[in-house]
Amino acid sequence: MRQKIVAGNWKMNNTLNETKELLKGLKKELKGVKLDNTRVIIAPTFVNLQHAVKKTAKSILEVSAQNLHEAKNGAFTGEISADMLLDIGVNVVILGHSERRAYFNETDEALAQKVNTAVAKGLDVIFCFGEQLEDRQNENHFSVVESQLKEALFGLQAEAFKNIILAYEPVWAIGTGQTATADQAQEMHEFIRGLLAKSYDAKLADSVSILYGGSVKPNNAEEIFSKPDVDGGLIGGASLKEKDFSAIVKINLIG
Ligand code: PGA
């Protein structure tokens, strides 16, 4: 069933001590908050995942990785496998973030392999995609998004979508303070749901959570989350501040 989700992508931030502090702060801010068909996910860096899993065991927070390698194991220096994540209690992974695509050359083809591995292992995937500024200016944003989804994701069998959370993140809105308007987010999310309905069926389309990401803050989350096809957000900068992230979580629970 479609869920409301707020996920925090911590990126390459927070030492172990800073992770401890932020987790403490988050647990305090979110104390007493009850989840109702909703999820709250945080994605610390690899080296702090194990600590985060331990410290969030009795909280509403779930822990996600920010990447994985598609191979089972082997000679892939510096990489992390799905089994390694599962082994320490991490059941969610972010894949396809625009920073991975831009700085680490992750192509749709490579992402399809990562997604297939993650889903085969039973991990939930927060799959990110979205157009560049130039694509939007040239009015190519719908076709770019369609191609990213078709190439990396639509090879999956329908039942795999129970493990998929979509995160539409227009690249021009990430870390720029320039968020998409709520109407722009809704328009794209509706389009994405339409693609799911066409490629699979309407029931599946209705069951998949689609998050918006890109400069979501406490002061704009309410308007964005109020849109019918927006099921929550993937939060970068604001997820590093316990008060901001908790405020966004609470807005999503109410909205
Ligand atoms: P931002 O990042 O909230 O800082 O724009 C979002 C993301 O990269 O997922």
Side-chain angles (χ1 to χ4, degrees):
M1 186 161 63
R2 192 158 142 195
Q3 294 176 305
K4 293 208 268 180
I5 300 168
V6 170
N9 178 7
W10 292 8
K11 309 189 181 181
M12 196 177 74
N13 292 295
N14 293 334
T15 61
L16 179 57
N17 267 335
E18 290 162 347
T19 298
K20 284 181 183 168
E21 285 306 306
L22 183 50
L23 287 173
K24 234 189 268 167
L26 283 173
K27 286 202 287 187
K28 193 166 148 224
E29 291 293 328
L30 294 170
K31 206 168 174 190
V33 170
K34 295 257 178 307
L35 298 182
D36 178 17
N37 198 34
T38 49
R39 294 171 75 175
V40 184
I41 302 169
I42 50 163
T45 185
F46 279 129
V47 287
N48 293 323
L49 286 174
Q50 205 167 1
H51 175 81
V53 167
K54 211 155 95 193
K55 291 294 172 188
T56 55
K58 289 194 197 95
S59 80
I60 61 169
L61 296 165
E62 287 178 67
V63 176
S64 169
Q66 298 175 16
N67 189 23
L68 57 65
H69 191 276
E70 63 274 17
K72 185 170 167 34
N73 61 352
F76 300 102
T77 302
E79 293 294 312
I80 307 281
S81 73
D83 282 337
M84 292 171 188
L85 296 176
L86 291 165
D87 193 40
I88 59 163
V90 172
N91 301 303
V92 188
V93 63
I94 297 173
L95 292 175
H97 192 280
S98 65
E99 289 148 19
R100 301 279 335 156
R101 293 175 190 258
Y103 309 140
F104 304 97
N105 305 318
E106 291 194 0
T107 60
D108 290 331
E109 200 185 353
L111 288 168
Q113 291 180 27
K114 286 177 185 246
V115 169
N116 289 346
T117 294
V119 166
K121 289 285 179 181
L123 282 145
D124 284 347
V125 174
I126 302 175
F127 183 76
C128 308
F129 55 94
E131 81 281 1
Q132 310 272 347
L133 181 59
E134 197 182 314
D135 302 320
R136 186 159 279 265
Q137 284 167 340
N138 296 335
E139 295 181 11
N140 284 335
H141 44 296
F142 291 114
S143 58
V144 166
V145 162
E146 180 167 359
S147 146
Q148 288 172 327
L149 288 174
K150 287 201 165 149
E151 297 299 321
L153 216 60
F154 285 8
L156 291 172
Q157 301 290 313
E159 65 264 22
F161 276 83
K162 67 179 188 324
N163 291 77
I164 301 290
I165 299 161
L166 297 179
Y168 167 58
E169 299 203 302
V171 178
W172 48 272
I174 295 177
T176 58
Q178 188 196 346
T179 179
T181 64
D183 286 339
Q184 283 173 324
Q186 168 57 25
E187 185 187 34
M188 183 58 85
H189 286 216
E190 196 178 343
F191 172 74
I192 295 160
R193 229 178 272 290
L195 288 177
L196 287 167
K198 245 193 284 169
S199 299
Y200 295 90
D201 60 59
K203 194 165 160 236
L204 182 144
D206 193 46
S207 74
V208 177
S209 298
I210 310 178
L211 315 184
Y212 167 79
S215 297
V216 176
K217 310 282 176 209
N219 64 5
N220 59 26
E222 193 169 346
E223 198 189 347
I224 297 171
F225 294 172
S226 71
K227 295 294 177 185
D229 287 299
V230 178
D231 303 308
L234 179 57
I235 321 296
S239 73
L240 300 173
K241 298 179 188 147
E242 65 242 33
K243 286 206 188 315
D244 285 2
F245 188 68
S246 308
I248 295 169
V249 167
K250 288 172 193 169
I251 290 167
N252 193 45
L253 285 174
I254 304 159

